[in-house]
Every structure is written in structure tokens, then in C-alpha cells.
Amino acid sequence: MAYGTAEDPGRSITPHLDSVDYPTTRQELVDAAEDSGAPVSIINVVKCLPRTEYASKEDVLRDLSEAARRAATGGLPDDDGARRDRRNIGRDLVEGAPDGQTRHP
């Protein structure tokens, strides 16, 4: 067992969602993360949650692993084998997109 090598609590997602009342929406989760001062990487993972509505915190926790995969925060290749930089996924959805369109993350 290695001592002193725990996960950095500043990189944990769940403390940034403690203020949320359920049921809630994905956008309310994003707003709560932003309000708590979460880093951009955490906000992007929350934006990638697969559902738009959540009945409980357990539902959110269940979907976080899928969201982390979709946000590619681990630097792993996507299903098609491509490596994509998605650190600014929220910004990229709107900046530089043609009028009336957004880019898919």
C-alpha cells in the first residue's frame, strides 16, 4: 500500500454537486459546478452527462463514468481510435460554429 498517494480532492466531481436539490436537470448540475468554482475539466464532464434530467444523486453518480469517457478527460482514444482534445468542449460548441449550428462534442 502506498501512503500519501490519494486522489487530489480538487479533481473530484461530487463535492461540486453537493448543493443540488433533486430532481434536477443537467444544466442545473452544470450551473452548480460553475458556482462552486469547479475547474473547466469538471464542468465539461458534467456537460457530457448522457441524460438531461436526473431524479437522484445516485443517477448522476451512475452516469459520471460515461460522461468522463465522452469528455475524454483520461486522454484515451474515442471509439473510432482518434484522440481528440476536448478540454474546452463547452466553448467549442458555440465558437466558430456556422450560424444556427453547433459542433457536436
Side-chain angles (χ1 to χ4, degrees), residues 18-95:
D18 285 343
S19 65
V20 176
D21 293 324
Y22 294 89
T24 191
T25 65
R26 179 177 48 218
Q27 185 57 48
E28 289 171 341
L29 293 168
V30 170
D31 294 343
E34 289 173 342
D35 291 346
S36 71
V40 171
S41 59
I42 288 177
I43 293 169
N44 286 340
V45 169
V46 176
K47 286 180 179 180
C48 288
L49 284 169
R51 292 187 256 174
T52 57
E53 295 185 8
Y54 288 90
S56 68
K57 187 172 185 173
E58 290 75 24
D59 291 340
V60 174
L61 295 176
R62 206 171 295 125
D63 284 349
L64 280 174
S65 62
E66 172 64 14
R69 186 192 70 77
R70 290 174 65 188
T73 58
L76 299 173
D78 283 351
D79 292 340
D80 62 359
R83 292 186 182 273
R84 294 182 175 88
D85 182 4
R86 296 187 176 171
R87 289 175 287 189
N88 293 307
I89 202 165
R91 183 194 72 204
D92 289 345
L93 284 172
V94 292
E95 288 183 10

